[in-house]
Amino acid sequence: MTEDMSMVQATGPLLADRVAVVTGGGGGIGAATSRLFAQHGAVVIVADIDTERAHRTADEIGPSALPIVADVRREHDVDSLARTVLDRYGRADVLVNNVGHWVRHPGSFAGTDPHLWDELYQVNLHHVFLVTRAFLPAMVAQRSGAIVNVSSVEGLRGYPEDPVYAAFKAAIIQFTRSLAVQVGGDGVRVNAIGPDVTESLQVPYTQWLTADEQTRWPQWVPVGRMGVPEDQARVILFLASDLSAFVTGHTIPTDGGTGAAGGWFRSSRRPGREWTNRPIDP
């Protein structure tokens, strides 16, 4: 256990006796969130399209985890997921809409296939609507609940590699903001995170970067390192717990400072000039 994780746990169990649903909960950020929630006393439903990942993560957690195989892009699967959870536990206290994927690099927008837009919509936004709708009535009825949506840094800035993906990630942020206002009086809080430069199933930096590139993290990221799934999980835990009882409608950039830096990078080759806005030092 890392020192940072011990510090989080030292505050006591933050989700004791709560029922938490984590979509994409079997791997990457979802798995880290599932494990951390369980460490803080929650019963965790590990919902994942991948049977092996769902069961492996649930087995690692132990009796407080329930693996459910579901494709959250499909309304039938989502309805079945909600019925199973609510029939078994009678409540749902936390929902983490974690599923998302950039699918593939499309090239120029003018040449993209509209079928790709549909794929991006289904995996990045449509499921957020479906899963939230399935669990929200139970939260309203019990007059308590926390929903955490996983957006992206690309929903907060211009993303020239894929404007469509960026549009859906931005839509999550606006959905989060608007739904939070709508259901705040019902005791339900809705927040989001916007990750960047974090190792995940969709963005495996340890596989993508050369040895030389990996030495450049202190130049690329203000905090000086690559993010790991646990970095995201800790912020999700904060938003899911009573530590954030007076926070709703917000998206926290979980980006190691890249957003604050505004696209500027540390430069090691320009005497008297510490920063450059060019990805490769001149």
Side-chain angles (χ1 to χ4, degrees), residues 86 131-143 188:
L86 296 174
V131 182
T132 300
R133 186 188 64 169
F135 285 99
L136 183 59
M139 293 182 174
V140 170
Q142 67 199 32
R143 298 197 63 78
V188 181

Side-chain angles (χ1 to χ4, degrees), residues 127-265:
H127 76 87
V128 176
F129 298 158
L130 286 178
V131 182
T132 300
R133 186 188 64 169
F135 285 99
L136 183 59
M139 293 182 174
V140 170
Q142 67 199 32
R143 298 197 63 78
S144 67
I147 298 170
V148 184
N149 299 318
V150 177
S151 179
S152 167
V153 66
E154 310 306 355
L156 293 162
R157 67 183 181 191
Y159 183 42
E161 288 202 328
D162 192 345
V164 176
Y165 172 85
F168 292 136
K169 289 302 185 182
I172 289 175
I173 293 170
Q174 184 62 10
F175 175 68
T176 296
R177 182 183 295 124
S178 301
L179 184 63
V181 176
Q182 184 180 93
V183 300
D186 297 314
V188 181
R189 296 184 301 106
V190 190
N191 291 288
I193 64 169
D196 190 20
V197 291
T198 298
E199 178 86 1
S200 68
L201 292 175
Q202 292 77 26
V203 190
Y205 284 111
T206 52
Q207 298 176 33
W208 286 358
L209 299 183
T210 66
D212 176 66
E213 287 172 328
Q214 297 218 23
T215 66
R216 291 177 174 264
W217 283 116
Q219 292 175 257
W220 295 337
V221 185
V223 301
R225 65 172 176 84
M226 175 187 73
V228 294
E230 288 73 17
D231 290 316
Q232 306 298 327
R234 292 174 190 134
V235 181
I236 293 172
L237 173 65
F238 164 71
L239 293 173
S241 76
D242 291 339
L243 289 178
S244 60
F246 204 57
V247 178
T248 196
H250 290 284
T251 297
I252 298 179
T254 46
D255 58 11
T258 58
W264 287 83
F265 304 91

Side-chain angles (χ1 to χ4, degrees), residues 4-37:
D4 286 346
M5 188 66 74
S6 298
M7 290 174 64
V8 172
Q9 289 182 313
T11 63
L14 298 174
L15 298 177
D17 302 320
R18 299 186 193 181
V19 176
V21 179
V22 182
T23 70
I29 293 170
T33 300
S34 296
R35 289 191 292 264
L36 186 57
F37 278 11

Side-chain angles (χ1 to χ4, degrees), residues 84-135:
T84 299
V85 173
L86 296 174
D87 287 350
R88 181 162 181 163
Y89 300 106
R91 61 188 298 114
D93 301 292
V94 177
L95 169 62
V96 180
N97 287 311
N98 167 65
V99 169
H101 201 324
W102 50 269
V103 182
R104 58 186 178 274
H105 289 298
S108 170
F109 170 75
T112 56
D113 183 344
H115 291 296
L116 176 58
W117 307 344
D118 291 338
E119 287 184 64
L120 289 167
Y121 170 61
Q122 295 293 329
V123 77
N124 289 296
L125 183 59
H126 184 61
H127 76 87
V128 176
F129 298 158
L130 286 178
V131 182
T132 300
R133 186 188 64 169
F135 285 99

